[in-house]
Amino acid sequence: MKNTFGTAVAVTLFGESHGEMIGCVIDGLSSGVTVSEDAIAKALARRRPAGLNSTSRVEPDDFRIVSGVYHGKTTGTPVTILIPNTQNHSTDYENAPRLARPGHADYTAHVKYHGFEDFRGGGHFSGRLTAALVAAGAIGAEALRQKGIVIGTHISSIAGIEDTPFAATEQEIRAQIGTLSALSFPVFSQKQGEEMQNAILAARNEGDSVGGTLETAVIGMPAGVGEPFFDSVESRLSHMLFSVPAVKGVEFGDGFALAAHRGSEANDAMRIKDGKVVTLTNHAGGIYGGITNGAPLRFRIAVKPTPSIFKEQATVSLTEVKEEILSLKGRHDPCIVHRAAPVVDAVTALVLCDMLSLTFGVDYFSPASNPS
Amino acid sequence: MKNTFGTAVAVTLFGESHGEMIGCVIDGLSSGVTVSEDAIAKALARRRPAGLNSTSRVEPDDFRIVSGVYHGKTTGTPVTILIPNTQNHSTDYENAPRLARPGHADYTAHVKYHGFEDFRGGGHFSGRLTAALVAAGAIGAEALRQKGIVIGTHISSIAGIEDTPFAATEQEIRAQIGTLSALSFPVFSQKQGEEMQNAILAARNEGDSVGGTLETAVIGMPAGVGEPFFDSVESRLSHMLFSVPAVKGVEFGDGFALAAHRGSEANDAMRIKDGKVVTLTNHAGGIYGGITNGAPLRFRIAVKPTPSIFKEQATVSLTEVKEEILSLKGRHDPCIVHRAAPVVDAVTALVLCDMLSLTFGVDYFSPASNPS
Amino acid sequence: MKNTFGTAVAVTLFGESHGEMIGCVIDGLSSGVTVSEDAIAKALARRRPAGLNSTSRVEPDDFRIVSGVYHGKTTGTPVTILIPNTQNHSTDYENAPRLARPGHADYTAHVKYHGFEDFRGGGHFSGRLTAALVAAGAIGAEALRQKGIVIGTHISSIAGIEDTPFAATEQEIRAQIGTLSALSFPVFSQKQGEEMQNAILAARNEGDSVGGTLETAVIGMPAGVGEPFFDSVESRLSHMLFSVPAVKGVEFGDGFALAAHRGSEANDAMRIKDGKVVTLTNHAGGIYGGITNGAPLRFRIAVKPTPSIFKEQATVSLTEVKEEILSLKGRHDPCIVHRAAPVVDAVTALVLCDMLSLTFGVDYFSPASNPS
Amino acid sequence: MKNTFGTAVAVTLFGESHGEMIGCVIDGLSSGVTVSEDAIAKALARRRPAGLNSTSRVEPDDFRIVSGVYHGKTTGTPVTILIPNTQNHSTDYENAPRLARPGHADYTAHVKYHGFEDFRGGGHFSGRLTAALVAAGAIGAEALRQKGIVIGTHISSIAGIEDTPFAATEQEIRAQIGTLSALSFPVFSQKQGEEMQNAILAARNEGDSVGGTLETAVIGMPAGVGEPFFDSVESRLSHMLFSVPAVKGVEFGDGFALAAHRGSEANDAMRIKDGKVVTLTNHAGGIYGGITNGAPLRFRIAVKPTPSIFKEQATVSLTEVKEEILSLKGRHDPCIVHRAAPVVDAVTALVLCDMLSLTFGVDYFSPASNPS
């Protein structure tokens, strides 16, 4: 459905960039899951712009949970999170001529909604909405953590500058994920990270922007989750990942690189270790036939460069049939790749909560069914 | 849902590689759409193995439409297509020791279904099932064609050997798509196509397999179709594309290449041509903010090398906790990239029929609402 | 889905009786629909307790629309309505022993949510939640009205005392519906209405409660809306109607009375009037084969007597395995039948908006496609 | 969705009365469930017309299971059942003038599908389709039985003649259900059953038809299944029940009778028996707040009299704007109430399989998670 995704655990997203607030509803999560406002605040902080590289609109993200949590735990009924918008300068928009910003949804929203859309700051299409997803995902991530499942995302590349990839073993990846959650610019190689930041500043100085890739790993997923065909793990995850603004590519395991490999290189040999089936490599990204095989989930996404740039751009008017030249002013990130990392973590958490609950039942995350 | 996908137009898929038949149900397509058994047969023929490069199991694909079509046109109620399996040699399987084939769903299906799965030839996970999708997609494609929407897929690369990409203009792409439907090995450059086939044969001779990429273009989609967030065109299409066996990557427009570009290079400038808004380039693949912008849809998928290879592979038993060495025999394609092209066309057609019907109503494809 | 219903137009409901607020999200309604805060306030006022017959918890229902409406019209993206809870006396609950109130969800919620549920005032199961549905439905009703479709519900009976049924002709029913919206105790016969109110007072004086039935009519639905089998108009409407707390029966047209009729009495003869097909009677309630036939939709629901009564009741503890005697105190309606009328109008409006949008497209209610 | 219903366990229905075959796909049922072709055949036999009271079209119902069952057990992937139509006399229809049969979907299907519908014998709207539901339900019932859950339906009334209702205790009802499965005319009182059959014959002799009611009981449902609001047990069950052709009313527990009762009469007192919470009465039909409370599920449906009668009826042409008089010939049941009983059992089984799997996970019915 349009702004609702999930079957056993579903998230509904609402709000606009310059409306009173944004928010979301998470429905179907097991009762009894601990909800840490601190963990939500930390996740939101990771998404918030920081430092020279980012937009100057800084929202405090003073979220409120207004339903579904009682005495610090989920009740099992819908959890609603509201995040007020406080830093919106709507008057900037009301009187400006309406031009379609290339690369944005301005034009397509105008066609679809016949001019009734709230266009200010991108309206419902704004990256601002992802704050609500991050808050929801933080609750989902906590539920997963209680089952030993952890998710981490690092910047795989920005402007062509590449970070070290995730390590090979579960143990190492788990340690890496632990370090990522503390970083607002999540890279493994500090040196490469600095080069990326220089590339961002260079683009910014030219009124331009840069893109990049993110790599995500999930440790602890049990084997046997997912479905043949239309609910494959890849189908479900890509559905959500492609709903994150600016994502234009998703690949699992070795992804596009597999296209140039031989089957003998691509297949993951299977062995037995401590009585458990394991794969010796993980080219498949932890998914065989759409179903988890017990190895770490591994995928990469492509984030296009921020379309909001300060260079002059050829475009059209939205109020008359007329060509125009756009000169953007205001607050815009020259790069959103690092800010997208917690969003990817969040949507991954929500999809996995859904698939696990669908497979193992609605009480999967409940302390009632997980005696410690 | 597991084996049903779509909202206004939904497809349900069933069958196993070595069962009596496979098939599908298409529900929600407008009444009055012409169903050409010839067009279905042609689409199935494109998917069928042919020549030296392919498996020796050749099914005649004598499909039957057993519901939902009356006097050659859709009735508006579920269309059911059955395709018998005739060339299955099930006895080959019944007595063989059950080993997990690396890269296949054997192991994950075993975990998920506790040994009750029909494992013969991959069972429900077999690429064989895609024949039913191709038949369904051929009906969808016919409906789209009546609205001026055409879909084409060519081999973008095999074993690293690249074909010429789609042309730049709608007119040229439309002409290219016209040529593709006649080809069982759909490439634009004959020379590159020959090199690809040589690479396939080389792999085959070594008991190995190769992968590749496919590039798809859609011409004629109206602007304004799609949704913000969870039903973006990318979300919907990727959901279906990743349900096609062996697909491990999906990218829209310039996809992963965008990650290394600047915003000034990635944005598609907008102009007015013949009173209509157009983009001067199409880096976004025809989608802005999850919604079609009227430019051609353009995406690429990565197809992993066929996991069925004849080299010895380290694996495990499915009936006891034991390491094994697998030596595959039987009929296996050294490359399925070209055979996946009509499958990609088919699932694309089904997703677009769904999204168009959801946007414009269930009669969108009906001659009653399209007087000629 | 649990707390989301609808396909093209979906509503998501959240909140608890004693939480900070309740609310809902309406997703998929056409852009450009006029949103009248006044109409919402009037609908909420009809649901609010009034007079001697009702509970003394009177919420002001100061709703806020926080997304999806811009300059007084729907934007096409999710509309979110928040309604604060101000009159909850939560401390009443925190220290009281937890006993299952017979006829309530206390026990079943306890089993389902393992004691983590917010039980105060029934929590998420409270009739309080229907205020959010009423607000959402008021927007839907306005959209329908712009297409000439109107909905009205009167009290068909309370405590066995029956009101005059809806009239026979469309014109008469349309006039009747016009009068109903002004009534907080919607009956056609004032005399019968007074008797009903006396019966309510009599029950109240004995610490008891009464139930009743509601009859709903919808005028203006085009023929051809609905689906065979699982999305029949009856299926969709009953799904929503049975989600309204206290509803235990739903019948369409002559409903259960048809069971004792002959086919020759039950069939609605068809004739032509002003070039249009009409039925001479309407025993089928405007639905043939799950699809509207152009006659008024007509259905009745049974509302059980309020389970909150002041008589002593045998029940059990929720915190230990122990039989208890319950003596309720506090604020409870002796009858909620009349308050359920605007809720039934609301959910009917939401279901019809969904089905019409699914049939005719997402712009069905848009002024862009309805030039005046 | 139109012809697919269910979330964790979904059924898709297809076919037409005079097409080559009808059938259905059941997706999501646990692997390892025993599939008894004999049980399916027996369920189909109960739905088949028999004796003087029924139509002379008698289909052998030689179903085939063509997917999803391997070595007599479900595989966990889609189960497809095909039932050929052999007794259709299509030529009867092709040349007859097309008149809308009052009470049938002829007219509404014509409006909806613009004349492209397969109208022969009611096409996709025919009661014939329910044979596929009965077959699917027989598999679901078997899965439920392995968990101690049994379903039974008796004729509550025909033509106003009433059968004895279900007994009061679980033990008695379980015994009653055991007797029902052997009866093609399922009543508890033989005497009342004979009177009903006389009433049917009397109607038949007058070229007329009769309706009735069915009462269903389910024993063994665990408490805690169902959802607040939109997925209440009543919502889900009524959705499916109203998709059964001719059903015009559904009530749970005491249903419409509750409307005239006081709260003190309607509430089910709760006590503890053998350490378990029980209700002393069952006015609520085993459902509190949309969620099962552990008492038997109990509901009644109203079946309208067969609309196919032999008396002359005023109607309209479907091919021109013209009033006509319809004189039906051919094979038509004077009563379908008894034949609807196994259909109600079947759809009830399918809904409960879905809700239980959604609550407890996809392996709920698997022998792997139910060691004996």
Side-chain angles (χ1 to χ4, degrees), chain D:
Chain D
M1 253 176 290
K2 299 166 175 90
N3 292 282
T4 298
F5 190 71
T7 302
V9 175
V11 64
T12 297
L13 188 64
F14 57 84
E16 292 96 29
S17 179
H18 286 65
E20 184 176 345
M21 60 180 75
I22 60 166
C24 66
V25 183
I26 315 156
D27 191 16
L29 197 61
S30 303
S31 64
V33 172
T34 299
V35 174
S36 157
E37 301 218 346
D38 189 51
I40 298 171
K42 274 185 181 144
L44 286 168
R46 289 179 60 214
R47 201 204 71 95
R48 210 169 301 141
L52 280 176
N53 302 328
S54 285
T55 169
S56 48
R57 173 178 173 185
V58 182
E59 287 281 1
D61 292 336
D62 291 328
F63 67 91
R64 273 184 306 160
I65 300 174
V66 298
S67 79
V69 176
Y70 186 52
H71 291 321
K73 295 192 185 295
T74 56
T75 59
T77 51
V79 176
T80 306
I81 306 171
L82 304 178
I83 309 179
N85 290 325
T86 60
Q87 300 299 311
N88 41 12
H89 302 167
S90 297
T91 47
D92 293 4
Y93 290 88
E94 290 288 354
N95 302 312
R98 291 193 56 195
L99 306 186
R101 293 168 301 163
H104 277 284
D106 297 347
Y107 171 67
T108 54
H110 193 76
V111 171
K112 183 172 181 65
Y113 302 117
H114 312 291
F116 294 107
E117 70 278 6
D118 178 352
F119 60 90
R120 299 168 300 164
H124 184 64
F125 293 80
S126 167
R128 171 77 186 136
L129 273 278
T130 60
L133 286 175
V134 166
I139 295 176
E142 183 59 32
L144 292 166
R145 208 171 294 125
Q146 288 167 21
K147 304 294 284 190
I149 302 166
V150 293
I151 303 168
T153 297
H154 77 111
I155 302 167
S156 181
S157 75
I158 280 180
I161 302 154
E162 297 192 5
D163 189 25
T164 319
F166 271 108
T169 71
E170 274 199 38
Q171 210 175 347
E172 289 169 295
I173 299 174
R174 198 179 277 273
Q176 287 179 310
I177 288 174
T179 67
L180 289 174
S181 61
L183 304 173
S184 63
F185 195 88
V187 284
F188 297 136
S189 159
Q190 280 313 105
K191 187 175 156 300
Q192 297 300 92
E194 276 162 36
E195 281 193 39
M196 291 176 191
Q197 297 194 40
N198 290 336
I200 295 171
L201 286 173
R204 180 197 181 93
N205 292 340
E206 299 172 40
D208 215 332
S209 65
V210 294
T213 54
L214 293 168
E215 187 188 27
T216 303
V218 183
I219 301 292
M221 277 293 289
V225 175
E227 298 288 338
F229 293 97
F230 312 133
D231 271 353
S232 76
V233 175
E234 293 106 327
S235 290
R236 283 274 181 165
L237 276 172
S238 70
H239 193 129
M240 263 295 227
L241 290 165
F242 274 119
S243 75
V244 176
V247 172
K248 296 300 276 189
V250 173
E251 60 180 3
F252 292 87
D254 290 352
F256 278 91
L258 284 169
H261 292 169
R262 288 258 176 118
S264 56
E265 299 164 307
N267 287 351
D268 298 310
M270 307 183 84
R271 297 279 86 181
I272 292 165
K273 196 179 153 186
D274 305 334
K276 235 187 92 189
V277 171
V278 296
T279 60
L280 296 186
T281 52
N282 190 13
H283 303 299
I287 307 164
Y288 272 1
I291 298 172
T292 54
N293 66 11
L297 292 189
R298 205 161 58 75
F299 54 87
R300 282 172 77 244
I301 65 162
V303 180
K304 71 174 183 180
T306 329
S308 297
I309 56 175
F310 297 97
K311 299 194 166 191
E312 288 196 343
Q313 296 182 84
T315 193
V316 296
S317 166
L318 289 174
T319 48
E320 48 187 328
V321 182
K322 195 176 161 203
E323 299 189 337
E324 299 272 5
I325 296 299
L326 176 71
S327 291
L328 272 184
K329 310 240 170 313
R331 310 165 296 183
H332 304 290
D333 284 330
C335 179
I336 57 157
V337 179
H338 50 299
R339 295 184 63 195
V343 181
V344 168
D345 284 351
V347 299
T348 301
L350 292 168
V351 169
L352 297 182
C353 284
D354 184 24
M355 297 196 86
L356 286 160
S357 298
L358 209 42
T359 303
F360 299 117
V362 296
D363 283 345
Y364 182 68
F365 298 107
S366 169
S369 57
N370 300 301
S372 56

Side-chain angles (χ1 to χ4, degrees), chain C residues 26 29 33 135-145 149 151 346 349-350 353 365:
Chain C
I26 316 155
L29 198 61
V33 172
I139 295 176
E142 183 59 33
L144 292 166
R145 209 171 294 125
I149 301 166
I151 302 168
L350 292 168
C353 284
F365 298 107

Side-chain angles (χ1 to χ4, degrees), chain A residues 232-247:
Chain A
S232 76
V233 175
E234 292 106 326
S235 290
R236 282 273 180 166
L237 276 172
S238 71
H239 193 130
M240 264 295 228
L241 290 166
F242 274 119
S243 74
V244 176
V247 172

Side-chain angles (χ1 to χ4, degrees), chain C residues 34-339:
Chain C
T34 299
V35 174
S36 158
E37 302 218 346
D38 189 53
I40 298 171
K42 275 187 181 143
L44 286 169
R46 290 179 60 214
R47 200 204 70 95
R48 210 170 302 142
L52 280 175
N53 303 329
S54 285
T55 169
S56 49
R57 174 179 172 184
V58 183
E59 286 281 0
D61 292 336
D62 291 327
F63 66 93
R64 276 185 303 161
I65 301 175
V66 298
S67 79
V69 176
Y70 186 52
H71 291 321
K73 294 193 185 297
T74 55
T75 59
T77 50
V79 176
T80 306
I81 306 172
L82 304 179
I83 310 180
N85 290 324
T86 60
Q87 300 297 311
N88 41 13
H89 303 166
S90 297
T91 47
D92 293 4
Y93 290 88
E94 291 288 352
N95 302 312
R98 291 195 54 194
L99 307 186
R101 294 167 301 164
H104 277 283
D106 297 347
Y107 171 67
T108 54
H110 193 76
V111 172
K112 183 172 181 64
Y113 302 117
H114 311 291
F116 294 106
E117 69 279 5
D118 177 353
F119 60 90
R120 298 167 301 166
H124 184 63
F125 293 79
S126 169
R128 172 75 186 136
L129 274 278
T130 60
L133 286 175
V134 166
I139 295 176
E142 183 59 33
L144 292 166
R145 209 171 294 125
Q146 288 167 22
K147 305 294 283 190
I149 301 166
V150 293
I151 302 168
T153 298
H154 77 111
I155 302 167
S156 181
S157 74
I158 280 181
I161 302 153
E162 295 192 5
D163 189 25
T164 319
F166 271 108
T169 72
E170 274 199 39
Q171 210 173 348
E172 289 169 295
I173 300 174
R174 198 178 276 273
Q176 286 179 310
I177 289 173
T179 67
L180 289 173
S181 61
L183 304 173
S184 62
F185 196 88
V187 284
F188 297 136
S189 159
Q190 280 314 107
K191 186 174 158 297
Q192 297 302 91
E194 277 161 36
E195 280 193 40
M196 291 175 192
Q197 297 193 37
N198 290 337
I200 296 171
L201 286 173
R204 181 198 182 95
N205 291 341
E206 297 173 42
D208 214 332
S209 65
V210 293
T213 54
L214 294 168
E215 187 188 25
T216 302
V218 183
I219 301 292
M221 277 294 288
V225 175
E227 299 288 339
F229 292 97
F230 313 131
D231 270 352
S232 77
V233 175
E234 292 107 327
S235 290
R236 283 272 180 167
L237 276 172
S238 71
H239 193 129
M240 263 296 227
L241 290 165
F242 274 119
S243 75
V244 176
V247 172
K248 295 299 276 188
V250 173
E251 60 180 2
F252 293 88
D254 290 353
F256 278 91
L258 284 169
H261 293 170
R262 288 262 176 112
S264 56
E265 299 164 306
N267 286 350
D268 299 310
M270 306 182 85
R271 296 278 87 181
I272 291 165
K273 197 179 151 185
D274 305 334
K276 235 187 91 190
V277 171
V278 296
T279 60
L280 296 186
T281 51
N282 189 14
H283 302 300
I287 308 163
Y288 272 180
I291 298 173
T292 55
N293 66 10
L297 292 190
R298 204 162 59 75
F299 54 87
R300 283 173 77 245
I301 65 163
V303 181
K304 72 174 182 180
T306 328
S308 296
I309 57 174
F310 297 97
K311 298 193 166 190
E312 287 196 341
Q313 296 182 84
T315 191
V316 296
S317 166
L318 290 174
T319 48
E320 49 187 328
V321 181
K322 196 178 161 197
E323 299 189 337
E324 299 273 4
I325 297 298
L326 175 71
S327 291
L328 272 185
K329 309 240 171 311
R331 310 165 297 184
H332 304 290
D333 285 330
C335 179
I336 56 156
V337 179
H338 51 299
R339 294 184 63 193

Side-chain angles (χ1 to χ4, degrees), chain B residues 64-88:
Chain B
R64 275 184 305 160
I65 300 175
V66 298
S67 80
V69 176
Y70 186 52
H71 291 319
K73 295 193 186 293
T74 56
T75 59
T77 50
V79 176
T80 306
I81 306 172
L82 304 178
I83 311 180
N85 290 323
T86 60
Q87 300 298 310
N88 41 12

